[in-house]
């Protein structure tokens, strides 16, 4: 994946993540806001209910006093006492006592004194206190509610101005009183004091008001995603694409023979990764390492060897596969290498490149090298004498071969002294030594003169396909 493609992918992934996260945040914010609104509304409804119930308790309590104190006589003392108590109730304007006279309802006592033979509706038996209305009474200019109770065919009632209790009887937006279910809505609670009276939540279309918290949240998520989340997702996508390419033969092997100069026979064959689409192979290798696909890459190369050559060719040659310290630290890699057949393991030389310091995790690496060597693998160290690949490697690790970087091939006194020291060391400890970068007859003769007879370089051959290396080595 090119840099421009990676940037475009990052932008798309980030945009998608922010969009999804913003939607989720928007929904969460709405849910949170709805919960807060609901809790606040429930608090207001409970306050309203308590207010209404306290009021009705005062009314019914006074009405009970009227019932208790009435002895059948509408005395002046009774009327004055009841009137005093009545006028302590906000909105209450009159109390009345109705009896059945000649099969008709007749007011026999009221706040005005004895009844004036006013004919009204006949008392009806009922349980508890009732509320009716609003009513329009001829003697009053305002509509009223009537709260009443019938005892032994005598009706006791109190008249209340409608507008004095409208804040909780009719016009409260949070909750209303319904009498005999005449107001539709969700039932909140029945009254504790008046029969057949319920508090309801009216069917009101609420206007949803959204706040802007999610805007700030979206911006913060954009920053978080861009710097923390998106790079990881892009890396996973790149890893998936690269693994797909490896498994589907986007890459292939090329091979370069390493010769023994004394008899011109092939000592081993180094395996190189190549791309079918002329991409920069070093970038691919760096990406493989960055995306932690070292195991996939190496297993692919080994599988290609099995596919490219028959068993006879494999058993007659050794193959050098590049690995790094990351391979040797990886339990998965070790398990996979052990799983190969012994006949293949004995023909593989694992060439450790010098891009990482083996000493950082030397105990694990030494343990794994010992395990693999016991299974038939051999080990070479690449670019000996440069960067990390120092004498300490030879001392600490059990290598079978060292490869001298072509840097030392240049003919000068210092390089010659280094090469002599290296060949003396390898001869002393009994390990092989390969000279890289042999490009001319002069390079070949120089290495021979120094006692280095394993040569690799363009003087002998370049890297080539499986078919070409088969024909080249057999012929």
């Amino acid at each position: 994946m090119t840099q421009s493609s990676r940037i475009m992918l990052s932008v798309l992934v980030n945009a998608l993540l922010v969009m999804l996260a913003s939607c989720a945040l928007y929904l969460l914010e709405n849910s949170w806001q709805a919960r807060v609104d609901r809790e606040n509304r429930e608090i207001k409804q409970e306050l309203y209910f308590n207010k209404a119930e306290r009021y009705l308790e005062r009314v019914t309590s006074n009405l009970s006093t009227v019932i208790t104190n009435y002895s059948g006589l509408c005395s002046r003392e009774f009327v004055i006492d009841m009137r005093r108590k009545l006028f302590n109730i906000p909105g209450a304007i009159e109390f009345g006592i109705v009896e059945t006279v000649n099969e008709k309802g007749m007011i026999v006592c009221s706040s005005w004194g004895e009844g004036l033979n006013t004919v009204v509706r006949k008392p009806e038996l009922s349980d508890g206190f009732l509320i009716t209305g609003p009513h329009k009474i001829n003697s009053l200019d305002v509509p009223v509610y009537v709260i009443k109770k019938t005892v032994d065919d005598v009706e006791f009632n109190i008249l209340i101005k409608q507008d004095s209790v409208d804040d909780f009887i009719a016009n409260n937006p949070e909750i209303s009183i319904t009498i005999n279910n005449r107001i539709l809505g969700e039932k909140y609670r029945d009254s504790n004091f008046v029969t057949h009276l319920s508090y309801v939540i009216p069917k009101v279309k609420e206007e949803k008001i959204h706040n802007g918290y999610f805007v700030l949240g979206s911006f913060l998520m954009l920053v978080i995603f861009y710097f923390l989340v998106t790079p990881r997702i892009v890396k996973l996508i790149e890893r998936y694409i690269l693994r797909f390419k490896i498994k589907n033969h986007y890459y292939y092997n090329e091979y370069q023979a390493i010769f023994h100069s004394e008899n011109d026979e092939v000592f081993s064959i180094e395996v190189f990764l190549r791309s079918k689409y002329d991409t920069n192979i070093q970038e691919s290798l760096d990406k493989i390492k960055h995306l932690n696909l070292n195991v996939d890459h190496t297993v692919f190369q080994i599988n290609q060897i099995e596919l490219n050559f028959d068993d006879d060719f494999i058993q007659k040659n050794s193959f050098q596969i590049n690995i790094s310290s990351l391979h040797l630290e990886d339990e998965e890699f070790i398990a996979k290498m052990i799983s190969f057949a012994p006949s293949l393991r004995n023909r593989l030389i694992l060439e450790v490149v010098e891009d990482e310091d083996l000493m950082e995790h030397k105990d694990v690496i030494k343990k794994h090298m010992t395990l693999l060597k016991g299974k038939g693998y051999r080990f070479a160290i690449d670019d000996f004498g440069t960067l990390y690949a120092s004498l300490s490697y030879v001392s600490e690790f059990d290598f079978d071969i060292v490869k001298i970087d072509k840097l030392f091939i240049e003919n000068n006194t210092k390089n010659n002294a280094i090469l002599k020291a290296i060949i003396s060391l390898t001869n002393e400890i009994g390990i092989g030594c390969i000279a890289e970068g042999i490009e001319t007859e002069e390079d070949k003769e120089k290495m021979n003169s120094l006692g280095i007879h394993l040569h690799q370089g363009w003087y002998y051959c370049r890297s080539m396909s499986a078919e070409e290396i088969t024909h080249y080595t057999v012929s």
Side-chain angles (χ1 to χ4, degrees):
M1 184 179 292
T2 63
Q3 183 65 22
S4 59
S5 299
R6 188 178 297 108
I7 293 173
M8 181 62 69
L9 179 60
S10 298
V11 171
L12 291 175
V13 168
N14 207 60
L16 180 61
L17 287 174
V18 170
M19 182 176 67
L20 293 175
S22 295
C23 290
L25 182 63
Y26 182 80
L27 295 174
L28 287 173
E29 185 270 334
N30 279 354
S31 175
W32 172 81
Q33 190 64 49
R35 180 175 59 82
V36 172
D37 291 343
R38 184 172 61 254
E39 290 174 352
N40 291 335
R41 186 163 56 250
E42 288 173 354
I43 291 172
K44 291 175 65 177
Q45 290 168 351
E46 190 64 24
L47 289 174
Y48 164 74
F49 169 79
N50 291 332
K51 176 183 176 183
E53 285 291 279
R54 283 195 301 270
Y55 180 82
L56 292 176
E57 182 181 18
R58 291 182 64 184
V59 175
T60 55
S61 177
N62 275 273
L63 195 54
S64 295
T65 302
V66 174
I67 296 170
T68 301
N69 293 343
Y70 182 64
S71 62
L73 299 175
C74 189
S75 65
R76 178 177 176 80
E77 292 78 10
F78 170 75
V79 172
I80 292 174
D81 184 53
M82 292 303 101
R83 188 184 297 169
R84 186 185 303 116
K85 289 182 173 63
L86 176 70
F87 292 158
N88 285 329
I89 302 173
I93 57 176
E94 187 176 350
F95 76 85
I97 300 174
V98 180
E99 292 184 3
T100 301
V101 179
N102 298 324
E103 297 301 320
K104 295 181 180 179
M106 199 72 86
I107 298 177
V108 297
C109 187
S110 70
S111 304
W112 304 99
E114 285 192 73
L116 302 175
N117 298 321
T118 303
V119 178
V120 294
R121 189 173 58 181
K122 181 181 176 180
E124 296 178 356
L125 291 175
S126 62
D127 295 329
F129 295 93
L130 298 176
I131 182 171
T132 63
H135 303 291
K136 194 73 172 178
I137 298 179
N138 294 334
S139 61
L140 299 172
D141 293 330
V142 294
V144 296
Y145 286 96
V146 178
I147 296 180
K148 61 185 179 179
K149 184 175 182 180
T150 302
V151 180
D152 296 331
D153 293 333
V154 179
E155 179 183 283
F156 300 87
N157 57 59
I158 291 178
L159 278 61
I160 306 167
K161 289 181 181 179
Q162 180 184 5
D163 57 5
S164 67
V165 288
D166 267 353
D167 62 331
F168 64 87
I169 293 293
N171 296 329
N172 189 286
E174 299 295 334
I175 197 168
S176 296
I177 286 179
T178 175
I179 302 170
N180 297 325
N181 297 320
R182 287 183 297 176
I183 300 176
L184 296 177
E186 178 187 350
K187 185 174 180 180
Y188 180 68
R189 200 176 305 176
D190 289 330
S191 172
N192 294 323
F193 300 101
V194 178
T195 305
H196 302 314
L197 183 146
S198 298
Y199 297 86
V200 298
I201 301 172
K203 290 183 176 180
V204 179
K205 184 178 181 181
E206 298 182 357
E207 182 180 355
K208 184 64 180 177
I209 300 176
H210 301 288
N211 61 49
Y213 293 156
F214 76 95
V215 176
L216 178 60
S218 297
F219 176 75
L220 292 176
M221 285 188 293
L222 172 64
V223 175
I224 293 172
F225 286 146
Y226 186 80
F227 290 102
L228 297 178
V229 180
T230 300
R232 297 189 179 189
I233 294 178
V234 171
K235 185 175 180 179
L236 287 175
I237 294 174
E238 284 190 292
R239 194 171 189 270
Y240 173 81
I241 293 173
L242 189 54
R243 174 173 276 175
F244 177 83
K245 288 181 177 180
I246 292 173
K247 288 185 176 181
N248 289 274
H249 297 190
Y250 181 94
Y251 300 101
Y252 64 96
N253 285 350
E254 281 194 350
Y255 305 90
Q256 184 181 32
I258 299 172
F259 285 87
H260 197 298
S261 62
E262 290 184 315
N263 54 24
D264 285 333
E265 291 182 354
V266 174
F267 170 75
S268 64
I269 300 172
E270 184 164 1
V271 182
F272 297 97
L273 189 69
R274 295 290 184 262
S275 169
K276 292 182 179 180
Y277 301 97
D278 297 325
T279 56
N280 188 317
I281 195 61
Q282 188 56 50
E283 285 186 4
S284 294
L285 292 172
D286 291 341
K287 191 179 297 183
I288 286 170
K289 177 182 176 182
H290 173 68
L291 298 176
N292 195 27
L293 290 174
N294 300 293
V295 175
D296 299 73
H297 155 232
T298 302
V299 170
F300 169 80
Q301 287 193 296
I302 295 174
N303 289 336
Q304 287 297 298
I305 292 174
E306 292 184 293
L307 289 173
N308 292 158
F309 306 109
D310 58 33
D311 291 339
D312 183 63
F313 184 86
I314 292 175
Q315 294 308 310
K316 289 180 179 178
N317 293 277
S318 295
F319 297 87
Q320 295 186 204
I321 303 286
N322 287 328
I323 65 170
S324 70
S325 64
L326 297 177
H327 288 76
L328 294 174
E329 296 169 20
D330 195 321
E331 296 284 352
E332 180 187 353
F333 172 75
I334 303 303
K336 186 62 182 178
M337 299 304 287
I338 292 175
S339 70
F340 287 115
S343 57
L344 179 62
R345 298 198 300 255
N346 292 328
R347 308 317 304 167
L348 293 179
I349 301 172
L350 302 180
E351 184 176 322
V352 183
V353 297
E354 49 73 47
D355 58 343
E356 301 285 346
D357 189 356
L358 298 179
M359 302 300 285
E360 289 186 7
H361 303 96
K362 69 175 184 178
D363 292 337
V364 173
I365 291 175
K366 287 172 69 173
K367 171 187 169 184
H368 288 163
M369 284 181 66
T370 300
L371 178 61
L372 291 179
K373 285 178 71 71
K375 298 296 182 178
Y377 290 99
R378 288 171 288 168
F379 284 89
I381 178 171
D382 193 27
D383 299 331
F384 184 73
T386 64
L387 294 179
Y388 302 115
S390 62
L391 289 174
S392 61
Y393 281 11
V394 176
S395 172
E396 289 285 350
F397 304 100
D398 188 13
F399 284 104
D400 302 283
I401 301 168
V402 298
K403 293 183 71 175
I404 303 172
D405 190 85
K406 62 182 180 180
L407 169 71
F408 298 108
I409 300 300
E410 183 180 349
N411 193 14
N412 59 55
T413 303
K414 184 181 293 186
N415 282 346
N416 291 341
I418 292 173
L419 290 172
K420 288 179 181 178
I422 292 174
I423 193 62
S424 176
L425 171 66
T426 57
N427 288 338
E428 182 68 24
I429 60 179
I431 63 176
C433 180
I434 299 174
E436 293 183 293
I438 306 300
E439 299 182 357
T440 65
E441 180 73 25
E442 181 181 357
D443 293 338
K444 173 185 176 181
E445 294 303 324
K446 175 185 175 182
M447 292 301 105
N448 285 334
S449 67
L450 292 171
I452 301 175
H453 299 292
L454 298 179
H455 299 172
Q456 180 179 5
W458 288 358
Y459 172 77
Y460 294 94
C461 65
R462 294 174 179 258
S463 61
M464 58 190 75
S465 68
E467 183 180 357
E468 290 172 331
I469 196 70
T470 303
H471 177 76
Y472 182 83
T473 55
V474 172
S475 60

